[in-house]
């Protein structure tokens, strides 16, 4: 029996966003099941205050994934950072990823993205293990080891570590670390994105 079968019809999580320990804005993760087999999750990131004046960020990552198996069906990235704008839309169909610019990338198995993997891990009956998954984002496919381990923190029961430090594997080289709560359906309470410029951390707001 699975511990968590993603029986989430609607979930909205709100985070404070930090860069190198300084609060710079907010992030929102909204998930809804839109059909029997498809769920949609949107991660919105926006800067505020002084940081917003010097380096405004309005990023949106959208993942459509299978509601029971959690592999990616469609992944969209809308990036707006200090005057730089980029849009990427990809459809994952069978053994091929189709991009809105006409590009086609072959896949040898079902693939995940940085958002869908959160729900895949949340659904596992047994954690504290290592998963070998195929990631595909930004026209790059990568075999990634996802390590899930227990923590000593009473609030963060599970730590999910994804190693994407090679520039050949990701357009944003670094490490991604998610922490799942020890209560309820194990929501992600902390998201860390390490890059060459520093560490971005999203912390779940208290009471959310």
């Amino acid at each position: 029996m699975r511990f968590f079968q993603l029986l989430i019809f609607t979930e909205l999580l709100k985070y404070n966003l930090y860069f190198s320990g300084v609060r710079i804005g907010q992030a929102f993760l909204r998930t809804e099941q839109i059909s029997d087999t498809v769920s949609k999750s949107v991660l919105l990131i926006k800067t505020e205050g002084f940081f917003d004046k010097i380096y405004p960020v309005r990023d949106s990552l959208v993942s459509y994934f299978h509601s029971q198996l959690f592999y990616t069906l469609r992944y969209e990235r809308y990036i707006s950072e200090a005057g730089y704008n980029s849009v990427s839309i990809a459809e994952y169909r069978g053994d091929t990823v189709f991009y809105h610019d006409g590009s086609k990338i072959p896949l040898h198995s079902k693939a995940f993205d940085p958002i869908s993997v959160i729900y895949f891990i949340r659904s596992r009956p047994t954690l504290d293990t290592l998963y070998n998954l195929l990631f595909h984002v930004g026209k790059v496919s990568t075999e990634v080891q996802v390590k899930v381990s227990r923590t000593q923190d009473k609030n963060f029961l599970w730590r999910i570590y994804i190693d994407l430090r090679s520039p050949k594997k990701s357009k944003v080289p670094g490490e991604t670390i998610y922490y799942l709560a020890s209560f309820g359906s194990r929501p992600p309470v902390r998201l860390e994105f390490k890059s060459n410029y520093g560490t971005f951390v999203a912390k779940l707001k208290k009471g959310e």
Side-chain angles (χ1 to χ4, degrees), residues 2-55:
R2 293 151 67 97
F3 178 87
F4 176 56
Q5 201 175 0
L6 227 186
L7 297 177
I8 296 177
F9 296 103
T10 301
E11 178 182 68
L12 176 61
L13 302 174
K14 302 177 183 179
Y15 301 85
N16 285 315
L17 183 65
Y18 299 85
F19 176 70
S20 296
V22 178
R23 186 183 183 280
I24 61 171
Q26 297 186 77
F28 304 87
L29 182 61
R30 179 182 176 84
T31 303
E32 59 181 329
Q33 187 168 337
I34 60 178
S35 74
D36 290 341
T37 58
V38 180
S39 292
K40 175 185 178 182
S41 189
V42 181
L43 177 63
L44 300 175
I45 299 172
K46 66 176 185 177
T47 50
E48 298 175 339
F50 176 75
F51 196 90
D52 192 56
K53 295 179 181 179
I54 61 174
Y55 198 92

Side-chain angles (χ1 to χ4, degrees), residues 133-187:
L133 302 176
L134 177 66
F135 268 51
H136 182 89
V137 175
K139 301 182 182 179
V140 178
S141 295
T142 308
E143 294 285 354
V144 175
Q145 288 189 332
V146 180
K147 184 177 182 180
V148 185
S149 58
R150 288 181 178 270
T151 74
Q152 300 301 315
D153 193 301
K154 64 180 180 180
N155 296 312
F156 307 152
L157 181 59
W158 300 107
R159 178 180 185 267
I160 305 171
Y161 174 75
I162 306 171
D163 189 353
L164 293 170
R165 284 178 290 181
S166 171
K168 295 180 180 180
K169 295 181 179 179
S170 173
K171 289 189 175 181
V172 185
E175 301 162 279
T176 298
I177 303 173
Y178 302 137
Y179 291 88
L180 304 183
S182 58
F183 54 82
S185 57
R186 302 189 289 200

Side-chain angles (χ1 to χ4, degrees), residues 61-74:
L61 307 179
V62 185
S63 175
Y64 294 83
F65 53 87
H66 194 282
S67 296
Q68 286 80 45
L69 301 177
F70 310 101
Y71 57 78
T72 304
L73 301 170
R74 178 184 173 99

Side-chain angles (χ1 to χ4, degrees), residues 90-110:
E91 296 272 359
Y92 297 58
R93 300 200 298 266
D95 60 358
T96 305
V97 182
F98 298 85
Y99 282 84
H100 75 298
D101 64 0
S103 302
K104 299 179 183 180
I105 308 296
L107 295 176
H108 63 77
S109 66
K110 298 297 185 183

